[in-house]
């Protein structure tokens, strides 16, 4: 006779209704994980409706900074009104994301959610016995490379915005103050994201440019030569999944830049790709200094594919085509609505 069936591993995703989390939820459910999403639904929860009947899915509308809504009981994490449940891993995505959004809410709110929230969620993961804590950070933590060389995981950090400052502080907490804990942190510094997700965003350069080119036939470009690194949201979700499955010693207390060496582009190069797949947009260049936004930076990504066997599979061209196709098909009819941005204005 066969023995009792082991339950599927359980992961808690904070901010799981967002751009990364809503896609990652499906990726992990398909990989056999049970997934609990905790999200305050600042941008709605329609992105999770496709998972609602999945037997491995649970959801709670909570503010993870509120101890009445997010706490540890009996060695398990209690999320809202859901029964407390042990967690094998916690993926902490919940945050005020991006320079514009942090500036809009102000330093007090940004620090509360991005730094204090990280400390609270980590403490809960540790108290509940989770063995992994995966943290979403950003490559904007590097600021400007002093010598112009691509920045790697061991490069100095020089945050140039409130958003990056909160993320750097959170990283330092996780690396400097959690030694000896069971919930070993893994830090992901994501490049600039693009591509289609259940919770779509159009305040991201690639997605925004496709939208503008299709609907307004005009692209107004600020900081013309500005170089960034880009990664598809699906490749980010796959990197997180692989980190959950990797041997603990391979990812514990490690930092990974998530992206690919062929994802480094200037804005003009992104515009040229968009023009290749969307006919007719007029391009205008304007000079407008945007305080708090980092300047040119190239990123090195050798560590991530070596450790996780996770080279990016989807190119910027793939992303431009899929965003174009979704918009042309009429799947998203109100793409300029604020629900598709993390702030009330778009930074170009």
């Amino acid at each position: 006779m066969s023995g009792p069936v082991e339950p599927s591993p359980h992961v808690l995703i904070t901010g799981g209704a967002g751009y990364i989390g809503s896609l990652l939820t499906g990726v992990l459910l398909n990989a056999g994980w049970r997934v609990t999403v905790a999200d305050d639904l600042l941008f709605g929860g329609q992105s999770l409706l496709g998972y609602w009947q999945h037997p491995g899915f649970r959801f709670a509308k909570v503010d993870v900074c509120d101890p009445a809504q997010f706490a540890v009981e009996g060695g398990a994490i209690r999320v809202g009104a859901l029964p407390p449940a042990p967690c094998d891993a916690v993926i902490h995505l919940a945050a005020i994301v991006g320079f514009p959004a942090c500036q809009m809410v102000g330093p007090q709110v940004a620090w509360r959610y991005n730094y204090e929230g990280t400390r609270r969620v980590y403490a809960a993961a540790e108290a509940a016995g989770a063995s992994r804590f995966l943290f979403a950070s950003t490559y904007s933590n590097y600021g400007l490379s002093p010598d112009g060389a691509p920045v790697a995981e061991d490069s100095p950090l020089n945050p140039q915005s409130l958003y990056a400052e909160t993320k750097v502080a959170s990283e330092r907490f996780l690396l400097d103050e959690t030694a000896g804990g069971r919930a070993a942190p893994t830090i992901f510094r994501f490049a600039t994201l693009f591509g289609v997700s259940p919770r779509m965003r159009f305040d991201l350069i690639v997605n925004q440019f496709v939208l503008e080119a299709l609907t307004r036939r005009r692209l107004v470009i600020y900081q013309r030569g500005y170089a960034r690194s880009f990664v598809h949201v699906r490749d980010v979700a796959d990197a997180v999944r692989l980190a959950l499955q990797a041997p603990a010693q391979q990812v514990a207390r490690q930092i990974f830049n998530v992206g690919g060496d062929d994802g480094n582009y200037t804005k003009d190069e992104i515009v040229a790709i968009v023009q290749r797949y969307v006919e007719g947009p007029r391009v205008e260049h304007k000079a407008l200094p945007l305080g708090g936004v980092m300047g040119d930076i190239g990123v090195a990504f050798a560590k991530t594919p070596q450790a996780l066997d996770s080279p990016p599979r989807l190119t910027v061209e793939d992303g431009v085509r899929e965003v174009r196709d979704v918009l042309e098909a009429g799947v998203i009819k109100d793409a300029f609505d604020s629900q598709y941005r993390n702030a009330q204005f778009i930074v170009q």
Side-chain angles (χ1 to χ4, degrees):
M1 294 180 61
S2 60
V5 177
E6 289 290 326
S8 300
H10 178 216
V11 61
L12 169 67
I13 305 178
T14 70
Y19 184 60
I20 297 172
S22 60
L23 182 63
L24 178 61
T25 294
V27 167
L28 294 181
L29 287 171
N30 288 337
W33 287 76
R34 290 176 294 135
V35 178
T36 295
V37 167
D39 198 294
D40 64 0
L41 300 185
L42 183 63
F43 299 99
Q46 296 91 334
S47 61
L48 299 174
L49 291 178
Y51 313 128
W52 212 258
Q53 300 302 323
H54 194 290
F57 176 76
R58 302 192 313 164
F59 171 77
K61 182 180 184 297
V62 300
D63 175 356
V64 297
C65 291
D66 184 348
Q69 301 180 43
F70 187 88
V72 176
E73 290 183 6
I77 298 178
R78 177 178 59 77
V79 184
L82 295 177
C87 284
D88 299 284
V90 174
I91 301 170
H92 184 44
L93 304 177
I96 305 296
V97 177
F99 157 71
C102 284
Q103 290 296 105
M104 187 177 69
V105 301
Q108 184 174 358
V109 174
W111 279 96
R112 175 175 182 259
Y113 279 94
N114 291 5
Y115 177 67
E116 296 298 337
T118 299
R119 295 182 69 104
R120 278 191 46 77
V121 175
Y122 179 84
E126 179 67 19
S131 60
R132 305 199 182 195
F133 185 88
L134 279 59
F135 177 66
S137 193
T138 171
Y139 81 130
S140 63
N141 290 354
Y142 296 111
L144 297 175
S145 174
D147 56 4
V151 292
E153 288 83 353
D154 58 355
S155 296
L157 302 183
N158 184 25
Q160 301 292 303
S161 69
L162 173 60
Y163 174 58
E165 288 170 0
T166 65
K167 287 296 186 177
V168 168
S170 297
E171 287 188 11
R172 286 175 176 160
F173 159 71
L174 291 171
L175 295 175
D176 297 344
E177 299 184 39
T178 66
R182 178 178 176 183
T186 300
I187 293 168
F188 297 103
R189 292 178 182 154
F190 299 135
T192 299
L193 291 119
F194 65 89
V196 171
S197 165
R199 192 255 140 168
M200 197 57 191
R201 284 181 61 184
F202 287 105
D203 59 342
L204 300 164
I205 289 176
V206 173
N207 297 353
Q208 178 201 342
F209 281 2
V210 176
L211 172 64
E212 296 275 355
L214 271 176
T215 60
R216 294 178 173 171
R217 300 297 174 182
R218 177 173 176 253
L219 289 174
V220 179
I221 310 302
Y222 303 99
Q223 294 180 303
R224 178 174 183 172
Y226 180 46
R228 304 187 82 166
S229 186
F230 297 85
V231 63
H232 196 286
V233 65
R234 173 66 198 221
D235 286 323
V236 163
D238 284 340
V240 174
R241 173 184 59 82
L242 290 167
L244 284 176
Q245 298 171 344
Q249 67 273 17
Q250 199 165 295
V251 296
R253 312 190 70 78
Q254 294 293 312
I255 300 169
F256 296 100
N257 290 339
V258 180
D261 291 330
D262 58 356
N264 290 309
Y265 289 95
T266 66
K267 280 190 178 179
D268 283 347
E269 290 169 336
I270 295 295
V271 168
I273 294 173
V274 172
Q275 289 178 309
R276 200 175 305 154
Y277 294 100
V278 181
E279 292 185 7
R282 185 175 78 256
V283 178
E284 300 176 16
H285 296 95
K286 292 187 177 181
L288 178 64
L290 294 171
V293 180
M294 69 180 188
D296 296 350
I297 185 170
V299 184
F301 297 97
K303 180 179 178 180
T304 303
Q306 289 176 0
L308 301 179
D309 190 24
S310 176
R313 296 179 297 111
L314 296 166
T315 66
V316 168
E317 293 194 0
D318 293 326
V320 168
R321 286 195 299 265
E322 71 176 14
V323 174
R324 177 202 63 188
D325 292 348
V326 163
L327 291 170
E328 287 187 335
V331 175
I332 299 175
K333 297 184 181 299
D334 54 350
F336 285 99
D337 189 273
S338 62
Q339 68 178 301
Y340 298 113
R341 306 196 295 273
N342 276 359
Q344 297 303 309
F345 55 94
I346 295 176
V347 174
Q348 292 183 316

